[in-house]
Amino acid sequence: MSKRFSNLAVPVVSVLLGLIAGAIIMLISGYDPISGYAALWNGAFGDSFYVGETLRQMTPYIFAGLAVAFAFRTGLFNIGVEGQLLVGWLAAVWVGVAFDLPKIIHLPLSLLAAAAAGALWGLIPGILKARLHVHEVIVTIMMNYVALHLTNHLIRNVISDQSDSTEAVKETASLKSSFFESLTDFSSLHNGIYLGLIAAVIMWFMLEKTTLGYELRSVGYSQHASQYAGMNVSRNIVLSMVISGAFAGLGGAMEGLGTFGNAFLHSGFSGVGFDGIAVALLGGNAAIGVVLASLLFGALKVGALNMPIESGVPNELVEIVIALIIFFVASSYMIKWLLSRFKKEEK
Amino acid sequence: MEYVIEMLGIRKEFNGFVANDDITLQLRKGEIHALLGENGAGKSTLMNVLFGLYQPEKGEIKVHGKKADISNPNVANELGIGMVHQHFMLVDTFTVTENIILGKEPKAGGKIDIKKAEQKVREISEQYGLAVDPTAKVADISVGMQQRVEILKTLYRGAEILIFDEPTAVLTPQEIKELIQIMKTLIKEGKSIILITHKLKEIMEVCDRVTVIRKGKGIGTVNVSETDPNHLASLMVGREVTFKTEKTEAQPKENVLEINSLFVKDARGIQAVRGLNLTVHAGEIVGICGVDGNGQSELIEAITGLQKAESGSILLSGKDITNLKPRKVTEQGVAHIPQDRHKHGLVLDFPIGENMVLQTYYQQPYSKAGVLNYKEIYKKAGRLIKEYDVRTPSEYTPARALSGGNQQKAIIGREVDRDPELLIAAQPTRGLDVGAIEFIHKRLIEQRDKEKAVLLISFELDEILNISDRIAVIYEGEIVAIVDPKETTEQELGLLMAGSKRKEAGEMNV
């Protein structure tokens, strides 16, 4: 079996198995799977409004998925995407609220602030890993909580006066698009989707085509061989976390400057950062895979909202389906084995 | 004649590639039977078929004359077949006893009866002359002793037929002697042995018969008493092989490498190199000879910048390179064929092509303004693969998928191609077959003849004697003698390596 084929086959089969298992669960619990999935489809792609919502939901997933995938390809497990996303969100909104600048400067500056904040949040675990060999998983998990409570504190006490949210960002820092609004019947789709696609291309180019990506991948695979070859292993570990964090921070900007237009108190994690792990896993840690997996996740999440309305199936079922898909991807060995069995029998 | 194992007409394919084609091997009771072949000839495949890891497409296996269907290694174990792997399968943090009983623990009331296990291990080790300390941690014992643990594992499981997969590749000359003694004892105790190897000397010394395979095909079985190394080598390679590498007298020129009273600590902080002095001239090969663990690794790491020198100086063509970063050392014209090719030499998950630019990827023409030029990279890779006869399905194949010999040829190609002033070759032929060794030796001598300096580190006395123009004996982190390979003998080197004799400073021509 060629590598390319199995790279594609495993996620596709996993999605199918996840949907089938979901259908079985619906049957057992007394729901009609056909009308359930029809409602899911209609809720995701049924008309232009829903398509817009799906694409909007997909946008932060792309960034979160790219952040996880980038770190993973360079041998690091960035669980801190959630926290990096939250600090990026707040940083973008802060710049978006505080300045009065022409759009051509204000929007890029806000995005830059988000990337910088996320990068900083990745820098700390990166340095700890490179210098003191502290495992990045532990540090990034803790950094998530720091980010959650720090951003809440800043929103309530520093940026606003005991309010639950900030002001809306200035028009000059907003990603909102009147073109998309008219096209998709006033969905919340914004210009961030372009940025997501551009970011995917950047990640692909950076990893596959540049000397920097060569070094990062090399260090990810073998620190010893990289050191032997004269690469600076510590610097590459830090750099990898910084770039990953910057992607995550930009994901936060999509929410702050696009979807919501402000920052508000979070009682818990947004979940986007953690879903990013699933997106990266499903997408095989490749840029194009992340984009496709984001589309699927966006569609499932948005479509799920329509399920109780149209078919009476609780939308939690989609969470089960997503979990099952991840389960099947993670057990890719089983799928590869099944596929090879089928192939043998064909002969 | 009674056969304990018969493998008849075995054929094994992998995706259309025929690894074994109609190979027959018959093992008599109480003999040491060598399985000889080049790297990638299909020896390991054949043994993995016998051990139940692979299923053959054709052919049959008989054990004690009865047809056997060995569907997995457990069946092989039950049939009394045990394998001593080349890369040890041991749990480092377990004791010797715990490793041996792993998976077959004697139990007493739901608990492992460790006392009984230790007693059993002691009994077996005495019976077969395999000296081990049953309570020692595997991480703390020597490589030779770890191998004895591997042998004990098979005996503990009741193996009657032992397969040794290139057992001497990792051993020192002294340990090899001990292993040979152990094998003879095993035979005396009624066991039968298949010895996978490509070292002809060992075959001549211990084996009764030898089966030769070449490129997946069975060439035949011969009695060792009726053959000689030259004949075996030509059977294995398919052409005449010269053992003595032809070379002219060295023409040493100016100093390339000068090391003055160098002190280096090893990773654990113990002084490994202690006041070492050494000079290597352009146009000569200096061989460093010594027992493993006398500071060789630390010496190389200090020269190449991988390990900090405590004090002393290292000069390259007069320029101080002490404690420079590895990249700077490389750029000054030092190439390094590392001792551990898997750990240091290659990024195993990179395609072999990308491995060819591991130190030069940031230079033109392989990249420009930070963007890689894959066309140039793969052009170079294709050229090196051809020039150095690296056998790989394509230059896009991950380095991991290549056989050891081909990985080594790729590394040597990459290092020699940089045309370095100083080439450091650490155990360049470890685990390789005679054909590949001949090839690599020729390349080293070619470098010398191009007036480059070559520093060779090897645990194989033959190799040191064969290739070096001068031999520096290292003992406890010092060069204790410099000898002329034409005037010395293995005996003298052995004594020097053991530290029992030091040449007076006056005699040393450092």
Side-chain angles (χ1 to χ4, degrees):
Chain A
M1 194 173 8
S2 79
K3 211 175 153 203
R4 197 170 276 252
F5 174 73
S6 78
N7 278 350
L8 199 67
V10 168
V12 169
V13 172
S14 303
V15 170
L16 289 177
L17 288 175
L19 291 173
I20 291 167
I24 293 169
I25 292 170
M26 276 192 260
L27 271 178
I28 293 170
S29 359
Y31 298 106
D32 176 6
I34 294 173
S35 82
Y37 281 137
L40 180 71
W41 175 265
N42 289 338
F45 301 108
D47 65 34
S48 64
F49 174 81
Y50 290 124
V51 172
E53 285 298 310
T54 295
L55 293 178
R56 188 265 305 158
Q57 183 71 42
M58 168 187 177
T59 308
Y61 282 146
I62 295 180
F63 283 98
L66 291 178
V68 176
F70 190 90
F72 199 81
R73 288 288 298 278
T74 58
L76 297 167
F77 202 3
N78 184 3
I79 307 272
V81 171
E82 181 71 38
Q84 292 147 12
L85 187 136
L86 287 174
V87 295
W89 184 335
L90 181 66
V93 169
W94 203 335
V95 173
V97 169
F99 295 95
D100 269 312
L101 292 163
K103 184 151 196 161
I104 192 125
I105 299 173
H106 201 183
L107 180 58
L109 191 68
S110 305
L111 292 170
L112 205 65
L120 175 71
W121 231 246
L123 176 72
I124 296 165
I127 288 177
L128 287 173
K129 165 98 177 179
R131 293 262 166 255
L132 301 169
H133 303 288
V134 185
H135 203 284
E136 74 275 11
V137 166
I138 297 179
V139 182
T140 50
I141 287 175
M142 295 197 289
M143 292 292 285
N144 282 341
Y145 288 97
V146 178
L148 176 66
H149 297 295
L150 180 69
T151 51
N152 280 348
H153 169 78
L154 290 173
I155 290 167
R156 186 176 273 279
N157 301 312
V158 180
I159 302 174
S160 78
D161 189 13
Q162 301 297 312
S163 160
D164 289 347
S165 65
T166 65
E167 292 168 42
V169 297
K170 303 260 163 62
E171 181 54 33
T172 48
S174 172
L175 283 166
K176 287 216 183 308
S177 155
S178 52
F179 168 68
F180 279 143
E181 280 177 1
S182 66
L183 198 67
T184 62
D185 199 12
F186 292 93
S187 79
S188 52
L189 179 61
H190 52 81
N191 285 324
I193 185 74
Y194 296 130
L195 297 174
L197 297 175
I198 293 168
V201 173
I202 289 175
M203 150 151 163
W204 166 80
F205 186 82
M206 197 151 56
L207 270 184
E208 307 294 340
K209 297 289 168 192
T210 67
T211 54
L212 173 71
Y214 182 87
E215 278 194 24
L216 289 169
R217 284 184 292 130
S218 173
V219 170
Y221 282 132
S222 169
Q223 294 196 6
H224 286 293
S226 305
Q227 195 194 11
Y228 155 85
M231 299 172 195
N232 186 335
V233 171
S234 303
R235 194 192 67 131
N236 275 299
I237 289 173
V238 174
L239 206 54
S240 166
M241 282 306 288
V242 165
I243 294 170
S244 172
F247 276 122
L250 283 170
M254 297 304 109
E255 305 287 64
L257 304 177
T259 310
F260 298 102
N262 67 356
F264 45 84
L265 294 185
H266 276 88
S267 57
F269 292 124
S270 73
V272 174
F274 295 122
D275 285 340
I277 299 169
V279 166
L281 185 66
L282 184 62
N285 295 310
I288 177 78
V290 165
V291 171
L292 294 174
S294 301
L295 177 63
L296 177 77
F297 270 62
L300 287 173
K301 292 267 179 173
V302 171
L305 301 174
N306 191 42
M307 283 171 76
I309 303 165
E310 211 179 292
S311 66
V313 178
N315 56 0
E316 282 82 0
L317 186 98
V318 165
E319 296 294 329
I320 297 176
V321 171
I322 289 177
L324 287 169
I325 291 173
I326 298 310
F327 168 79
F328 287 118
V329 174
S331 46
S332 66
Y333 178 78
M334 188 176 77
I335 291 173
K336 282 179 192 161
W337 180 76
L338 279 173
L339 285 172
S340 66
R341 281 291 290 267
F342 282 131
K343 277 206 153 177
K344 248 185 200 167
E345 273 164 28
E346 273 169 34
K347 279 180 196 170
Chain B
M1 183 57 75
E2 186 198 350
Y3 291 116
V4 283
I5 295 273
E6 288 174 274
M7 300 183 79
L8 304 168
I10 300 293
R11 181 184 174 87
K12 178 69 202 164
E13 284 178 34
F14 297 102
N15 293 327
F17 172 77
V18 184
N20 284 168
D21 184 9
D22 193 21
I23 297 182
T24 292
L25 185 151
Q26 291 168 306
L27 178 69
R28 288 174 186 159
K29 188 165 172 52
E31 75 167 343
I32 303 182
H33 192 117
L35 179 59
L36 175 68
E38 283 188 284
N39 298 115
K43 301 178 300 242
S44 300
T45 306
L46 186 68
M47 286 304 108
N48 285 333
V49 167
L50 179 58
F51 202 55
L53 288 164
Y54 299 146
Q55 300 308 309
E57 263 85 46
K58 247 193 241 170
E60 63 174 2
I61 301 172
K62 285 183 185 171
V63 179
H64 296 294
K66 264 186 286 185
K67 193 171 180 315
D69 178 24
I70 306 176
S71 51
N72 65 56
N74 291 335
V75 178
N77 276 331
E78 275 162 33
L79 289 167
I81 302 169
M83 183 115 150
V84 179
H85 295 275
Q86 182 181 6
H87 301 285
F88 303 149
M89 313 272 181
L90 298 171
V91 184
D92 274 357
T93 50
F94 275 13
T95 66
V96 168
T97 304
E98 284 166 340
N99 265 289
I100 290 169
I101 61 172
L102 192 64
K104 224 187 160 188
E105 305 87 357
K107 294 191 186 84
K111 268 170 47 185
I112 295 175
D113 190 348
I114 203 81
K115 281 274 165 307
K116 193 174 154 198
E118 273 170 18
Q119 186 53 37
K120 183 92 193 279
V121 168
R122 265 201 195 92
E123 275 168 25
I124 306 175
S125 78
E126 272 162 32
Q127 185 187 353
Y128 296 99
L130 291 153
V132 291
D133 172 3
T135 56
K137 283 233 162 68
V138 162
D140 301 334
I141 61 178
S142 70
V143 172
M145 201 176 290
Q146 288 180 10
Q147 187 170 56
R148 293 204 280 273
V149 176
E150 280 282 351
I151 299 170
L152 281 169
K153 255 165 74 179
T154 64
L155 293 173
Y156 176 81
R157 282 161 179 70
E160 289 298 316
I161 297 133
L162 284 89
I163 306 167
F164 283 82
D165 188 1
E166 303 199 0
T168 58
V170 289
L171 301 183
T172 62
Q174 184 56 36
E175 285 171 331
I176 292 175
K177 266 190 202 136
E178 286 168 19
L179 177 69
I180 285 172
Q181 199 48 51
I182 289 167
M183 287 202 272
K184 285 181 175 161
T185 315
L186 287 169
I187 294 301
K188 232 181 276 163
E189 295 285 331
K191 311 284 180 194
S192 314
I193 294 176
I194 297 177
L195 174 67
I196 306 175
T197 186
H198 46 241
K199 291 192 183 165
L200 304 168
K201 221 167 109 183
E202 287 158 16
I203 293 178
M204 298 309 295
E205 197 171 339
V206 291
C207 295
D208 302 298
R209 296 192 306 150
V210 47
T211 294
V212 185
I213 57 178
R214 183 166 76 219
K215 290 181 181 153
K217 287 199 168 62
I219 299 299
T221 301
V222 291
N223 288 324
V224 169
S225 55
E226 293 160 15
T227 185
D228 60 70
N230 281 319
H231 180 227
L232 284 179
S234 59
L235 280 180
M236 171 167 77
V237 184
R239 62 181 164 83
E240 289 298 316
V241 181
T242 50
F243 286 98
K244 199 81 191 160
T245 314
E246 292 299 323
K247 59 170 186 165
T248 53
E249 194 66 23
Q251 307 286 333
K253 298 271 166 28
E254 72 283 357
N255 293 356
V256 171
L257 178 70
E258 267 183 85
I259 300 174
N260 298 310
S261 54
L262 183 73
F263 283 84
V264 189
K265 282 185 179 161
D266 68 10
R268 291 169 299 167
I270 296 165
Q271 203 68 253
V273 175
R274 300 172 194 151
L276 184 140
N277 295 298
L278 182 69
T279 303
V280 185
H281 302 97
E284 73 167 347
I285 300 177
V286 172
I288 293 205
C289 142
V291 178
D292 192 8
N294 273 284
Q296 293 97 323
S297 310
E298 289 76 14
L299 170 63
I300 304 168
E301 284 175 1
I303 300 173
T304 51
L306 290 168
Q307 182 86 31
K308 276 241 168 323
E310 294 291 305
S311 63
S313 69
I314 303 165
L315 304 182
L316 186 75
S317 306
K319 269 182 291 184
D320 192 356
I321 59 160
T322 323
N323 287 338
L324 285 188
K325 291 233 155 52
R327 170 152 300 165
K328 290 275 174 272
V329 176
T330 309
E331 285 172 350
Q332 299 287 331
V334 176
H336 172 198
I337 298 163
Q339 186 170 344
D340 188 335
R341 56 180 165 252
H342 285 162
K343 192 170 166 190
H344 289 118
L346 296 165
V347 177
L348 291 170
D349 294 301
F350 268 1
I352 192 70
E354 287 185 37
N355 267 297
M356 290 301 196
V357 292
L358 208 54
Q359 297 104 329
T360 47
Y361 63 92
Y362 60 94
Q363 295 166 353
Q364 291 214 27
Y366 312 117
S367 66
K368 206 173 164 185
V371 178
L372 294 169
N373 185 342
Y374 280 105
K375 214 179 128 200
E376 286 294 332
I377 291 172
Y378 279 98
K379 206 169 93 188
K380 172 178 169 155
R383 177 173 63 80
L384 288 179
I385 284 168
K386 219 167 145 192
E387 265 178 44
Y388 287 83
D389 187 29
V390 181
R391 286 175 211 167
T392 166
S394 89
E395 52 266 48
Y396 301 97
T397 307
R400 187 183 292 285
L402 270 60
S403 75
N406 285 309
Q407 289 173 341
Q408 188 71 357
K409 282 194 270 186
I411 294 172
I412 286 170
R414 180 183 74 203
E415 298 305 310
V416 172
D417 192 61
R418 296 216 314 272
D419 208 17
E421 291 308 307
L422 171 68
L423 176 63
I424 301 171
Q427 299 231 71
T429 59
R430 178 173 177 176
L432 303 191
D433 59 69
V434 282
I437 291 174
E438 190 189 15
F439 177 87
I440 286 164
H441 284 171
K442 273 193 187 144
R443 292 292 170 150
L444 293 181
I445 291 165
E446 244 172 57
Q447 275 309 102
R448 181 201 77 162
D449 291 343
K450 277 160 75 183
E451 300 196 349
K452 308 291 181 182
V454 179
L455 182 63
L456 169 74
I457 290 95
S458 177
F459 303 136
E460 308 263 352
L461 284 183
D462 286 346
E463 178 163 58
I464 292 275
L465 283 164
N466 208 347
I467 300 300
S468 313
D469 299 310
R470 286 194 298 146
I471 298 174
V473 183
I474 193 167
Y475 176 70
E476 292 190 340
E478 274 183 88
I479 300 295
V480 292
I482 299 271
V483 292
D484 184 336
K486 286 188 289 299
E487 287 165 12
T488 189
T489 59
E490 284 197 28
Q491 283 70 22
E492 188 193 23
L493 285 178
L495 286 171
L496 287 167
M497 281 161 70
S500 59
K501 182 181 153 201
R502 276 178 193 240
K503 287 217 168 174
E504 293 302 314
E507 281 181 54
M508 272 173 67
N509 173 27
V510 181

